[in-house]
Amino acid sequence: MITIKSEREIELMKVSGALVAQTLDLLEQEIKPGMTTKELDRMAEVFIRDHHAVPSFLNYVPKSDPDVTPYPATLCVSINEEVVHGVPNIKRVVKEGDIVSIDCGVYKGGYHGDAARTFVLGIIDEKVQQLVDVTNECLERGIAMAVEGNRLHDISSAIEEYARSFRFSVIENMVGHGIGSDLHEDPAVPNYGRKHTGVKLVEGMTLAIEPMIALGRSRRAVSRRNEWVAVTEDGKASAHFEHTIVVRPGKAEVLTRTFLTK
Ligand code: MF3
Ligand code: CO
């Protein structure tokens, strides 16, 4: 069931979204080669709690898989071939040449915000840099379709088309999602699909749109049993960007932007 949010609820989601964006801004300023992913996680958790909010991902258990170990951190930090859900670790060091997806969720006032950016550390391979730029543009093109009267897969197909035009691979088994009082609500928002299909978009739908795009041929992110991190099948790099948005007439409203992402 897709819930349409009232303007009062959207006001609360703006607060959560703004805090997610500020947390990512902080990490963008602080991330440096030599840091551990655990240090990044700690910094984010302290910042979020200092702002009277709770990390959305911490202790999260997917409804589809209630036996999995609850997610043990504030952030997902996914490096290079890691697509999503990289668990912060005191032994995992980020280094020059890496691309690092940081995904952050915040719960405050009864509502979640969710966003991700892929950071580039130092000088990286030209093709990998292009992957990062194209994935960010995929997100922008998806957001541009999130307007009242369009259909859900107009978002999906805009993402897919742009990624494919560079012969990049769309990760198909991980999707965006509705968001609100639950981190994951209906509908699922795939990053591929046929335009003019899917549910009609209505003002007040709140969506987390999150393209995951890879070099190479992998169309799936796979994880080992009892492990959270999901990687490309061929070990090639993957990038990930995400915003929480509200469907509006004419132009979607983005709840997780800051001057750094404008
Ligand atoms: N943005 C991701 C998602 O929507 C992060 C979830 S991490 C989890 O799935 F721990 F909460 F699963
Ligand atoms: Co999400």
Side-chain angles (χ1 to χ4, degrees):
M1 190 194 55
I2 301 176
T3 61
I4 308 301
K5 275 71 178 180
S6 66
E7 291 304 322
R8 186 193 112 339
E9 290 179 289
I10 292 168
E11 285 307 310
L12 293 168
M13 290 188 70
K14 279 185 190 172
V15 176
S16 305
L19 185 52
V20 171
Q22 285 177 355
T23 307
L24 289 172
D25 283 356
L26 171 71
L27 295 164
E28 183 158 0
Q29 278 156 352
E30 294 299 323
I31 189 168
K32 260 135 216 137
M35 287 177 87
T36 69
T37 56
K38 185 72 193 173
E39 287 176 271
L40 294 164
D41 193 71
R42 169 86 190 145
M43 193 181 289
E45 180 170 3
V46 168
F47 186 77
I48 290 165
R49 293 196 191 279
D50 280 351
H51 288 80
H52 312 288
V54 175
S56 299
F57 303 165
L58 189 63
N59 300 318
Y60 178 82
V61 178
K63 288 197 178 79
S64 57
D65 194 359
D67 296 331
V68 82
T69 43
Y71 191 76
T74 292
L75 302 176
C76 299
V77 184
S78 310
I79 304 172
N80 300 333
E81 77 284 357
E82 297 173 351
V83 180
V84 286
H85 303 166
V87 178
N89 187 298
I90 52 166
K91 291 184 210 146
R92 189 73 198 266
V93 175
V94 299
K95 57 180 205 303
E96 166 127 16
D98 283 345
I99 60 170
V100 183
S101 151
I102 300 190
D103 192 344
C104 180
V106 158
Y107 183 69
K108 183 170 176 162
Y111 291 86
H112 293 274
D114 186 6
R117 299 178 199 161
T118 297
F119 302 125
V120 163
L121 293 194
I123 297 163
I124 64 162
D125 182 271
E126 206 177 303
K127 195 79 193 163
V128 178
Q129 179 68 58
Q130 187 186 43
L131 172 72
V132 172
D133 296 339
V134 166
T135 305
N136 196 186
E137 178 64 17
C138 282
L139 173 56
E140 293 303 329
R141 287 176 181 230
I143 292 169
M145 301 307 285
V147 296
E148 182 160 79
N150 276 359
R151 288 180 183 271
L152 183 66
H153 300 157
D154 292 329
I155 299 171
S156 313
S157 72
I159 292 169
E160 177 180 21
E161 255 180 49
Y162 193 67
R164 288 212 195 293
S165 73
F166 291 86
R167 307 185 136 267
F168 295 149
S169 181
V170 175
I171 300 298
E172 294 176 353
N173 65 326
M174 302 280 185
V175 294
H177 48 93
I179 179 169
S181 54
D182 284 336
L183 176 63
H184 294 137
E185 299 185 354
D186 287 340
V189 184
N191 295 306
Y192 66 97
R194 208 150 56 83
K195 61 172 109 139
H196 310 312
T197 70
V199 296
K200 266 252 167 92
L201 300 178
V202 172
E203 179 165 29
M205 283 183 181
T206 45
L207 304 175
I209 302 174
E210 49 181 318
M212 290 148 270
I213 309 294
L215 298 180
R217 308 230 62 83
S218 181
R219 296 164 76 146
R220 289 168 42 79
V222 292
S223 37
R224 291 201 244 179
R225 244 192 324 133
N226 301 321
E227 273 190 33
W228 271 95
V229 67
V231 301
T232 55
E233 294 165 299
D234 54 10
K236 297 251 169 81
S238 165
H240 175 214
F241 286 84
E242 176 177 21
H243 275 306
T244 296
I245 66 99
V246 187
V247 174
R248 296 288 194 191
K251 193 173 194 289
E253 186 174 1
V254 181
L255 303 185
T256 46
R257 257 200 225 290
T258 67
F259 67 95
L260 286 181
T261 53
K262 280 253 157 57

